[in-house]
Amino acid sequence: MADRSLRGIRLGAQSLQSEEGVVFMERAQHTYHCAACNRDTTLTFAADAEAPATWECRGCGGEALRTVDGTSVEVDHSADKAARTHWDMLLERRTLPELEEILAERLEFVRSRRGAGQDPTQAKSA
């Protein structure tokens, strides 16, 4: 029985799949240049995929532009929307006179809870 021991392979050490019959997709390399840190990054994409005009720089996190024949591709940021702030969203729901009225009500409420109906200069001397 000892001469017929079972042998196995280590888990994860070798793949049981073979690359026989696998046809790899054609690939194209694109270079991105970051002007902030002057770093070039080369990325590989499928040949039929459209490479993005910008990529996040791995060094500084800035915007790296794709270079074609040594020149950077121009990126049109005119269609980019500015982020809406809380103030912008508030102004969509209320007018300035309404906001001033609400502010006055809240200030009156806070002052009444604090007992700050007195003059602040008088409160210090007391």
Side-chain angles (χ1 to χ4, degrees), residues 32-41 56-64:
Y32 292 85
H33 178 75
C34 178
C37 65
N38 203 25
R39 179 184 180 137
D40 288 334
T41 304
E56 183 178 337
C57 178
R58 293 178 181 173
C60 67
E63 184 179 68

PDB file of all heavy atoms in Angstrom, residues 32-41 56-64:
ATOM      1  N   TYR A  32       0.194  58.174 -20.955  1.00  0.00           N
ATOM      2  CA  TYR A  32      -0.448  59.318 -20.319  1.00  0.00           C
ATOM      3  C   TYR A  32       0.631  60.115 -19.602  1.00  0.00           C
ATOM      4  O   TYR A  32       1.480  59.558 -18.906  1.00  0.00           O
ATOM      5  CB  TYR A  32      -1.524  58.862 -19.324  1.00  0.00           C
ATOM      6  CG  TYR A  32      -2.705  58.229 -20.012  1.00  0.00           C
ATOM      7  CD1 TYR A  32      -2.698  56.875 -20.351  1.00  0.00           C
ATOM      8  CD2 TYR A  32      -3.817  58.982 -20.332  1.00  0.00           C
ATOM      9  CE1 TYR A  32      -3.776  56.303 -20.995  1.00  0.00           C
ATOM     10  CE2 TYR A  32      -4.901  58.406 -20.973  1.00  0.00           C
ATOM     11  CZ  TYR A  32      -4.875  57.072 -21.302  1.00  0.00           C
ATOM     12  OH  TYR A  32      -5.937  56.508 -21.944  1.00  0.00           O
ATOM     13  N   HIS A  33       0.596  61.447 -19.765  1.00  0.00           N
ATOM     14  CA  HIS A  33       1.599  62.322 -19.155  1.00  0.00           C
ATOM     15  C   HIS A  33       0.925  63.251 -18.162  1.00  0.00           C
ATOM     16  O   HIS A  33      -0.049  63.932 -18.481  1.00  0.00           O
ATOM     17  CB  HIS A  33       2.322  63.149 -20.229  1.00  0.00           C
ATOM     18  CG  HIS A  33       3.329  64.090 -19.654  1.00  0.00           C
ATOM     19  ND1 HIS A  33       4.531  63.659 -19.172  1.00  0.00           N
ATOM     20  CD2 HIS A  33       3.292  65.426 -19.459  1.00  0.00           C
ATOM     21  CE1 HIS A  33       5.209  64.705 -18.716  1.00  0.00           C
ATOM     22  NE2 HIS A  33       4.472  65.788 -18.875  1.00  0.00           N
ATOM     23  N   CYS A  34       1.468  63.280 -16.952  1.00  0.00           N
ATOM     24  CA  CYS A  34       0.964  64.169 -15.899  1.00  0.00           C
ATOM     25  C   CYS A  34       1.856  65.400 -15.861  1.00  0.00           C
ATOM     26  O   CYS A  34       3.062  65.292 -15.635  1.00  0.00           O
ATOM     27  CB  CYS A  34       0.965  63.467 -14.545  1.00  0.00           C
ATOM     28  SG  CYS A  34       0.400  64.519 -13.195  1.00  0.00           S
ATOM     29  N   ALA A  35       1.272  66.567 -16.072  1.00  0.00           N
ATOM     30  CA  ALA A  35       2.040  67.807 -16.064  1.00  0.00           C
ATOM     31  C   ALA A  35       2.423  68.222 -14.643  1.00  0.00           C
ATOM     32  O   ALA A  35       3.423  68.905 -14.449  1.00  0.00           O
ATOM     33  CB  ALA A  35       1.244  68.920 -16.735  1.00  0.00           C
ATOM     34  N   ALA A  36       1.649  67.796 -13.648  1.00  0.00           N
ATOM     35  CA  ALA A  36       1.915  68.202 -12.268  1.00  0.00           C
ATOM     36  C   ALA A  36       3.207  67.591 -11.731  1.00  0.00           C
ATOM     37  O   ALA A  36       4.015  68.277 -11.113  1.00  0.00           O
ATOM     38  CB  ALA A  36       0.742  67.817 -11.374  1.00  0.00           C
ATOM     39  N   CYS A  37       3.410  66.288 -11.963  1.00  0.00           N
ATOM     40  CA  CYS A  37       4.610  65.626 -11.432  1.00  0.00           C
ATOM     41  C   CYS A  37       5.551  65.174 -12.548  1.00  0.00           C
ATOM     42  O   CYS A  37       6.557  64.518 -12.265  1.00  0.00           O
ATOM     43  CB  CYS A  37       4.225  64.459 -10.532  1.00  0.00           C
ATOM     44  SG  CYS A  37       3.385  63.102 -11.377  1.00  0.00           S
ATOM     45  N   ASN A  38       5.225  65.497 -13.801  1.00  0.00           N
ATOM     46  CA  ASN A  38       6.062  65.174 -14.960  1.00  0.00           C
ATOM     47  C   ASN A  38       6.330  63.674 -15.066  1.00  0.00           C
ATOM     48  O   ASN A  38       7.450  63.242 -15.314  1.00  0.00           O
ATOM     49  CB  ASN A  38       7.371  65.963 -14.915  1.00  0.00           C
ATOM     50  CG  ASN A  38       7.982  66.098 -16.288  1.00  0.00           C
ATOM     51  OD1 ASN A  38       7.279  66.027 -17.291  1.00  0.00           O
ATOM     52  ND2 ASN A  38       9.275  66.292 -16.331  1.00  0.00           N
ATOM     53  N   ARG A  39       5.297  62.874 -14.875  1.00  0.00           N
ATOM     54  CA  ARG A  39       5.431  61.423 -14.901  1.00  0.00           C
ATOM     55  C   ARG A  39       4.654  60.856 -16.080  1.00  0.00           C
ATOM     56  O   ARG A  39       3.542  61.279 -16.363  1.00  0.00           O
ATOM     57  CB  ARG A  39       4.879  60.865 -13.597  1.00  0.00           C
ATOM     58  CG  ARG A  39       4.924  59.372 -13.489  1.00  0.00           C
ATOM     59  CD  ARG A  39       4.269  58.917 -12.192  1.00  0.00           C
ATOM     60  NE  ARG A  39       4.315  57.484 -12.093  1.00  0.00           N
ATOM     61  CZ  ARG A  39       4.620  56.841 -10.997  1.00  0.00           C
ATOM     62  NH1 ARG A  39       4.890  57.504  -9.906  1.00  0.00           N
ATOM     63  NH2 ARG A  39       4.626  55.532 -10.975  1.00  0.00           N
ATOM     64  N   ASP A  40       5.248  59.879 -16.756  1.00  0.00           N
ATOM     65  CA  ASP A  40       4.579  59.177 -17.848  1.00  0.00           C
ATOM     66  C   ASP A  40       4.104  57.817 -17.360  1.00  0.00           C
ATOM     67  O   ASP A  40       4.835  57.118 -16.657  1.00  0.00           O
ATOM     68  CB  ASP A  40       5.521  58.987 -19.042  1.00  0.00           C
ATOM     69  CG  ASP A  40       5.773  60.287 -19.776  1.00  0.00           C
ATOM     70  OD1 ASP A  40       4.915  61.184 -19.710  1.00  0.00           O
ATOM     71  OD2 ASP A  40       6.831  60.407 -20.421  1.00  0.00           O
ATOM     72  N   THR A  41       2.888  57.447 -17.743  1.00  0.00           N
ATOM     73  CA  THR A  41       2.317  56.153 -17.389  1.00  0.00           C
ATOM     74  C   THR A  41       1.869  55.481 -18.674  1.00  0.00           C
ATOM     75  O   THR A  41       1.158  56.087 -19.475  1.00  0.00           O
ATOM     76  CB  THR A  41       1.113  56.317 -16.446  1.00  0.00           C
ATOM     77  OG1 THR A  41       1.518  57.053 -15.298  1.00  0.00           O
ATOM     78  CG2 THR A  41       0.547  54.985 -16.026  1.00  0.00           C
ATOM     79  N   GLU A  56      -6.076  59.034 -14.108  1.00  0.00           N
ATOM     80  CA  GLU A  56      -5.575  59.534 -12.839  1.00  0.00           C
ATOM     81  C   GLU A  56      -4.119  59.133 -12.678  1.00  0.00           C
ATOM     82  O   GLU A  56      -3.768  57.959 -12.810  1.00  0.00           O
ATOM     83  CB  GLU A  56      -6.404  58.968 -11.681  1.00  0.00           C
ATOM     84  CG  GLU A  56      -5.990  59.511 -10.339  1.00  0.00           C
ATOM     85  CD  GLU A  56      -6.853  58.986  -9.212  1.00  0.00           C
ATOM     86  OE1 GLU A  56      -7.984  58.564  -9.461  1.00  0.00           O
ATOM     87  OE2 GLU A  56      -6.366  59.009  -8.071  1.00  0.00           O
ATOM     88  N   CYS A  57      -3.282  60.123 -12.394  1.00  0.00           N
ATOM     89  CA  CYS A  57      -1.844  59.880 -12.244  1.00  0.00           C
ATOM     90  C   CYS A  57      -1.601  58.997 -11.027  1.00  0.00           C
ATOM     91  O   CYS A  57      -2.151  59.234  -9.959  1.00  0.00           O
ATOM     92  CB  CYS A  57      -1.094  61.203 -12.097  1.00  0.00           C
ATOM     93  SG  CYS A  57       0.670  60.999 -11.849  1.00  0.00           S
ATOM     94  N   ARG A  58      -0.757  57.994 -11.193  1.00  0.00           N
ATOM     95  CA  ARG A  58      -0.449  57.088 -10.085  1.00  0.00           C
ATOM     96  C   ARG A  58       0.468  57.741  -9.064  1.00  0.00           C
ATOM     97  O   ARG A  58       0.520  57.319  -7.915  1.00  0.00           O
ATOM     98  CB  ARG A  58       0.201  55.819 -10.618  1.00  0.00           C
ATOM     99  CG  ARG A  58      -0.734  54.989 -11.449  1.00  0.00           C
ATOM    100  CD  ARG A  58      -0.038  53.765 -11.992  1.00  0.00           C
ATOM    101  NE  ARG A  58      -0.968  52.991 -12.805  1.00  0.00           N
ATOM    102  CZ  ARG A  58      -0.616  51.953 -13.513  1.00  0.00           C
ATOM    103  NH1 ARG A  58       0.650  51.556 -13.537  1.00  0.00           N
ATOM    104  NH2 ARG A  58      -1.508  51.300 -14.226  1.00  0.00           N
ATOM    105  N   GLY A  59       1.206  58.759  -9.478  1.00  0.00           N
ATOM    106  CA  GLY A  59       2.154  59.408  -8.587  1.00  0.00           C
ATOM    107  C   GLY A  59       1.516  60.443  -7.682  1.00  0.00           C
ATOM    108  O   GLY A  59       1.660  60.401  -6.460  1.00  0.00           O
ATOM    109  N   CYS A  60       0.801  61.395  -8.282  1.00  0.00           N
ATOM    110  CA  CYS A  60       0.273  62.509  -7.487  1.00  0.00           C
ATOM    111  C   CYS A  60      -1.250  62.535  -7.426  1.00  0.00           C
ATOM    112  O   CYS A  60      -1.825  63.313  -6.671  1.00  0.00           O
ATOM    113  CB  CYS A  60       0.774  63.831  -8.051  1.00  0.00           C
ATOM    114  SG  CYS A  60       0.127  64.232  -9.692  1.00  0.00           S
ATOM    115  N   GLY A  61      -1.930  61.725  -8.235  1.00  0.00           N
ATOM    116  CA  GLY A  61      -3.393  61.714  -8.231  1.00  0.00           C
ATOM    117  C   GLY A  61      -3.996  62.779  -9.118  1.00  0.00           C
ATOM    118  O   GLY A  61      -5.209  62.937  -9.156  1.00  0.00           O
ATOM    119  N   GLY A  62      -3.149  63.528  -9.835  1.00  0.00           N
ATOM    120  CA  GLY A  62      -3.640  64.566 -10.737  1.00  0.00           C
ATOM    121  C   GLY A  62      -4.177  63.981 -12.028  1.00  0.00           C
ATOM    122  O   GLY A  62      -4.273  62.770 -12.199  1.00  0.00           O
ATOM    123  N   GLU A  63      -4.500  64.852 -12.953  1.00  0.00           N
ATOM    124  CA  GLU A  63      -5.057  64.428 -14.233  1.00  0.00           C
ATOM    125  C   GLU A  63      -3.925  64.276 -15.250  1.00  0.00           C
ATOM    126  O   GLU A  63      -3.237  65.236 -15.569  1.00  0.00           O
ATOM    127  CB  GLU A  63      -6.070  65.459 -14.719  1.00  0.00           C
ATOM    128  CG  GLU A  63      -6.773  65.060 -15.993  1.00  0.00           C
ATOM    129  CD  GLU A  63      -7.793  66.102 -16.421  1.00  0.00           C
ATOM    130  OE1 GLU A  63      -7.365  67.212 -16.809  1.00  0.00           O
ATOM    131  OE2 GLU A  63      -8.988  65.792 -16.368  1.00  0.00           O
ATOM    132  N   ALA A  64      -3.733  63.054 -15.732  1.00  0.00           N
ATOM    133  CA  ALA A  64      -2.721  62.793 -16.751  1.00  0.00           C
ATOM    134  C   ALA A  64      -3.419  62.741 -18.106  1.00  0.00           C
ATOM    135  O   ALA A  64      -4.469  62.114 -18.256  1.00  0.00           O
ATOM    136  CB  ALA A  64      -2.020  61.473 -16.469  1.00  0.00           C
TER     137      ALA A  64
END
